Amino acid sequence: MARNTRRIAFAGIMATTAALALAGCSLSASANGPSAGASAGSTVYFGVSSATTGQYAQYGEQFKKAFDLAVEEVNKDGGINGHPVALKYEDSQSDPKQSVTVAQKFVNDPQISLVFGDYSSAASIPASPIYTAGKLLQYGFNNSNPDFTAKGTQYQWSSAITTSASYTWTADYIKKQGIDSIGVTYLNTADWGIPAFQAFKAEADKIGLKITDAEAIDPTSDDYRPSLTKAVAGSPKAFAHVGYGPDAAKLVTQLRAIGFTGTFYGGQDEESFDGTPDAAGSVIGTEFVSTSRAPEVQAFVKAFKAKYPEEKEVTLFEAGAYDALHVAVAAAKKGGTDRAGILKGFQQITDVPSVVYGKLSFDKETRRPASPQLTPTVLKDGAWVAIEG
């Protein structure tokens, strides 16, 4: 489950160090961005660091569609106090080395008042020191790794629930279903999969949910059967996967092929997983359910499908990006359109209308959503439906 996302490597840290060393005067020269708010009628630019190519390109495409819809709506409604909004995209491939280069480019562009991204925490975290040095707010709206904000500065903000909170919730929910034993697989990634599993295990140990076996897996593998066979050897009542949609799609298919019939807790609301026949009946907790009866959700889903009629489903990825654009606009209206104003606005905004949370307020200490809630959902006929009761 979880948004996903999120891995950090030594190479990325080294790339950050090198980029900062090279930046030198250029960072300080552009650190404050525009010296004042945008001039009358001028365009306000936000940057987007995301994958438009590479293995995470599907997420970059989903984000762009939602961003473009939100920008269209904002500008139709008068922009930011009369200033139109526009986005500048840079392809990071959600790779730490590339995200550092993208960060340097955005920091040195005086038109940029805020940057969205990256898709993964692994790509965002190495770039954070550059954004901080440039006094440019980095809105990692999809970044669930707790370190993105916990080890970041006042310039790192996220509207994602942390992996720790997500997988603590998952363990609690499984136990509440009367399940007392579970087999587990988790991504063998130091910045996301392992910490997320540790949070799950800590809560499972606390509440008496027995993990019969836990197997670390390579997210790029195509054959998980050896690990799955070990994970179900102890006859667990259910199975949990700590990972993303693409790896979960392969995994659940192979899990059913070896004969396991218990409930699968895992996956994501994304195309590859939703369209996998063996994924039917899977359960996750999520912040956004497109079938919600909430007026703001239905209005967003209707608008999205009207703009993109080829899209059959609207997921948390689109909803999160759509919200993020509107949050940034609310902050600019509150504090100002330059870099200092954007930061001030984020520190002040409350109850921003949100299709994910209803209303979004930030905890000023954690720079994440205050009191977020997850909704249990089940995959039926290729769509996620809230579990009532």
Side-chain angles (χ1 to χ4, degrees):
M1 186 195 94
R3 313 188 166 231
N4 345 104
T5 16
R6 318 143 163 87
R7 316 133 246 210
I8 182 170
F10 176 73
I13 296 173
M14 293 303 293
T16 304
T17 303
L20 284 172
L22 291 172
C25 297
S26 63
L27 275 175
S28 59
S30 62
N32 292 315
S35 58
S39 58
S42 61
T43 300
V44 176
Y45 289 95
F46 299 142
V48 181
S49 175
S50 68
T52 57
T53 62
Q55 65 175 322
Y56 301 118
Q58 71 175 74
Y59 298 107
E61 181 180 357
Q62 288 173 280
F63 293 154
K64 187 177 188 304
K65 287 181 176 179
F67 279 140
D68 289 350
L69 171 62
V71 167
E72 183 180 288
E73 292 179 351
V74 167
N75 287 338
K76 185 177 181 180
D77 198 36
I80 301 174
N81 301 326
H83 301 286
V85 176
L87 301 176
K88 292 187 179 184
Y89 288 88
E90 291 291 340
D91 182 16
S92 67
Q93 298 184 346
S94 284
D95 176 271
K97 296 178 183 178
Q98 298 297 329
S99 66
V100 166
T101 301
V102 168
Q104 183 63 61
K105 185 171 184 177
F106 279 140
V107 162
N108 288 329
D109 183 346
Q111 288 188 318
I112 300 296
S113 298
L114 168 149
V115 172
F116 297 107
D118 208 279
Y119 157 73
S120 71
S121 300
S124 293
I125 292 173
S128 293
I130 295 175
Y131 289 117
T132 294
K135 297 183 180 179
L136 177 59
L137 194 142
Q138 181 187 20
Y139 189 6
F141 65 93
N142 193 60
N143 297 157
S144 62
N145 187 326
D147 286 349
F148 174 69
T149 47
K151 294 185 178 180
T153 70
Q154 63 179 331
Y155 292 98
Q156 279 73 51
W157 294 70
S158 179
S159 42
I161 296 176
T162 65
T163 50
S164 297
S166 295
Y167 284 102
T168 296
W169 179 93
T170 301
D172 287 337
Y173 183 78
I174 292 171
K175 181 67 174 180
K176 289 176 182 176
Q177 305 317 300
I179 296 168
D180 57 12
S181 63
I182 192 158
V184 180
T185 50
Y186 61 94
L187 297 185
N188 192 20
T189 52
D191 74 310
W192 191 84
I194 294 172
F197 167 67
Q198 290 172 337
F200 179 88
K201 184 179 184 302
E203 187 67 9
D205 291 344
K206 177 181 175 182
I207 62 179
L209 175 62
K210 181 182 178 182
I211 297 175
T212 58
D213 184 64
E215 297 290 326
I217 65 167
D218 178 354
T220 64
S221 175
D222 288 322
D223 186 4
Y224 298 126
R225 286 171 294 183
S227 295
L228 292 172
T229 299
K230 293 178 183 178
V232 301
S235 301
K237 298 288 182 62
F239 195 94
H241 176 55
V242 180
Y244 308 141
D247 42 272
K250 292 181 288 185
L251 189 147
V252 71
T253 299
Q254 294 170 29
L255 183 66
R256 299 311 184 199
I258 66 172
F260 186 81
T261 59
T263 301
F264 182 81
Y265 291 89
Q268 286 179 317
D269 184 4
E270 58 87 36
E271 186 176 358
S272 66
F273 190 79
D274 294 354
T276 298
D278 286 316
S282 298
V283 175
I284 61 172
T286 184
E287 301 96 300
F288 174 80
V289 185
S290 64
T291 55
S292 167
R293 297 177 182 176
E296 63 272 17
V297 172
Q298 288 309 304
F300 163 62
V301 170
K302 181 179 180 180
F304 190 88
K305 290 185 175 181
K307 185 172 177 63
Y308 308 107
E310 75 281 4
E311 295 293 335
K312 296 180 181 180
E313 298 297 331
V314 183
T315 74
L316 176 60
F317 295 107
E318 289 93 355
Y322 178 85
D323 264 4
L325 192 286
H326 283 287
V327 169
V329 167
K333 288 181 177 180
K334 187 77 171 180
T337 57
D338 63 0
R339 296 182 184 182
I342 292 287
L343 176 61
K344 180 180 178 182
F346 265 79
Q347 294 168 336
Q348 295 179 348
I349 53 175
T350 59
D351 293 333
V352 179
S354 163
V355 298
V356 175
Y357 299 109
K359 290 184 178 179
L360 174 62
S361 294
F362 287 100
D363 180 312
K364 301 307 185 293
E365 295 298 318
T366 65
R367 301 183 305 286
R368 288 190 182 267
S371 304
Q373 300 295 321
L374 291 174
T375 299
T377 59
V378 61
L379 185 60
K380 290 184 177 181
D381 299 321
W384 293 92
V385 181
I387 298 173
E388 305 294 339

